[in-house]
Amino acid sequence: MTAPHSETVDEPAELRVPARRPSVWRGQGPVVAVVSVGGALGASARYGASLLWPTYTGGFPWTTFSVNVAGCFVIGVFMVMITDVWAAHPLLRPFFGTGVLGGFTTFSTYAVDIQRLVDTGHPRTGLAYLAASLVAALAAVWLAVTAVRRVLAWRRRR
């Protein structure tokens, strides 16, 4: 068995051009950038909502619940629009869907809220919040997708 050669017959090693690393800006760089900017906008909006409608200790976290359900509804509308209606720019989905709406909806705060309710002696409220958030978020996405698709079908028939 012979050892593999690093040279080809036509091209000696000293004449080969080293492979260039692709620029970050040609790969995932723009996606990471728009997700970051969108996430900052969405998280700022969520934070603003929590300042406008604070949740009191032991109370049902209506602000987080409402933000998550509204965000899930908007995600449903957005996904139908960019998949069924427009040819969206490749960075729109990461910016708005992942960034803005991902930063706006706050399922990490949802988990913290449940833990806080249980720790402060309100386990039933925590369980109700756990179940209601899950059901309402899934229902919001389903309702949005169904409603938008029906409106689009109705408009095509006209």
Side-chain angles (χ1 to χ4, degrees), residues 118-139:
V118 170
D119 289 348
T120 59
H122 301 91
R124 280 190 253 155
T125 305
L127 278 172
Y129 176 54
L130 177 118
S133 290
L134 179 63
V135 170
L138 291 172

Side-chain angles (χ1 to χ4, degrees), residues 129-150:
Y129 176 54
L130 177 118
S133 290
L134 179 63
V135 170
L138 291 172
V141 171
W142 176 84
L143 179 65
V145 168
T146 302
V148 171
R149 285 190 173 148
R150 283 188 180 173

Side-chain angles (χ1 to χ4, degrees), residues 99-113:
V100 174
L101 293 175
F104 182 65
T105 59
T106 174
F107 286 92
S108 59
T109 302
Y110 159 73
V112 169
D113 287 342

